[in-house]
Amino acid sequence: MRVLVLGSGVIGTTSAWYLRQAGFEVTVVDRQPGPALETSFANAGQLSFGYTSPWAAPGVPLKAVKWLFSEHAPLAIRPGLDWHQYRWLAQMLRNCTHARYAINKARMVRMSEYSRDCLNELRTQTGIQFEGRDLGTTQLFRTQQQLDASAQDIEILARYDVPYEVLDRAGIIAHEPALAAVADTLVGALRLPRDQTGDCQLFTRRLAQMCVDAGVEFRFDQDIAGLQTQGDRITGVHIDGALETADRYVVALGSYSPALVDPLGLRLPVYPLKGYSLTLPITNRAMAPTSTILDESYKVAVTRFDDRIRVGGMAEVGGFDLSLSPRRRATLEKVVRDLYPEGGDLSRAEFWTGLRPATPDGTPVIGATPYRNLFLNTGHGTLGWTMACGSGRYLADLMSARQPQISTEGLDIFRYGHAAASVRHSEPEACVPPAR
């Protein structure tokens, strides 16, 4: 049984891996010349299994107004003429309540924790290396208000048995010695000891090669123009002027997924959140981060690789613009100078931007659609690297007619009541692959 996976970022590649392990014949198609060359290329490097939260949170609307006048705002809105932007923002605002935040965060934590288990199993089984570290995430609070606001997150972590520690200044220094010189500017921290770090692009490239070794075909430099349908089935994909057919189709095109499925009547509320990163060489290992630090004030992560520091974060709602903003670079540099001024060489930093595919509620869209042989794996926002393995395995189980190991509640497109109003809802066909 043949599956076409559209997209070779970390989500598409992990989907291909787990589908192949389940016995499917898999072909991956992408417009880029290789895997992980867009959003997965230089993300912050966090595997934030415990630090998993939606951007839509109580207090964000008021903060967003204040951020309009802030030089280093973590969230910026660039109004344009795209009505999809305003619809997405309106949906996001509706999710900024305490009740919706709790529901959305719980869904995200469910997938993130499962993804951690899947990644750990993959590492054990294959020995894949990606400059990974298992030393946790430390979320830094510069104000008492930030520390107090973490109580709701802690409540959800406790509900799902996710280990955590609340740190005072001495505790911060114990886990991140290089922060001793600036500890007096911090009021506390929340540490998630089971979080990890790693180079997402390196992981994706190496997993893609493992996929090839297992029999997956990758086709690069291919233009995906549209889907062809008949009734409630996909009958092919127009790729480079030809119609490619398969038994099943997976859309894992990140922020570009909605444009592909919109002509089918699928209203997929995924919108690009533009983020930025700097990658700089480590010059003083003792003054560099030990693992991942998240600066709550700027929503910027500082992550340690083998010989590099990756600084990433912020979100701009402004369409598909990929220009590099000097103002955003200044924010990233400020965080490095504030926290690790002697850790790396900013003069040699590489500046990058990418578009994270975000849903208004923060939860990805994974699973079946009203079209019986079309599946989605997209909308992970800033947590694609974190949720990749869990999402890929979860999808493979669904497509194999196996019961997933976590609840399916609230994870597919049908949680948006209007998502497929123009298409008759039908159950997906049983997808039992041949034995390998």
Side-chain angles (χ1 to χ4, degrees), residues 6 12 99 109 122 127 202 266 426:
L6 308 179
V109 169
L122 178 66
L202 181 60
L266 299 180
S426 57

Side-chain angles (χ1 to χ4, degrees), residues 11 14-15 18-19 366 377 387-397:
I11 298 298
T14 51
S15 298
Y18 286 106
L19 285 167
I366 313 169
N377 196 357
M387 296 184 179
C389 287
S391 298
R393 185 167 179 177
Y394 173 88
L395 182 69
D397 283 343

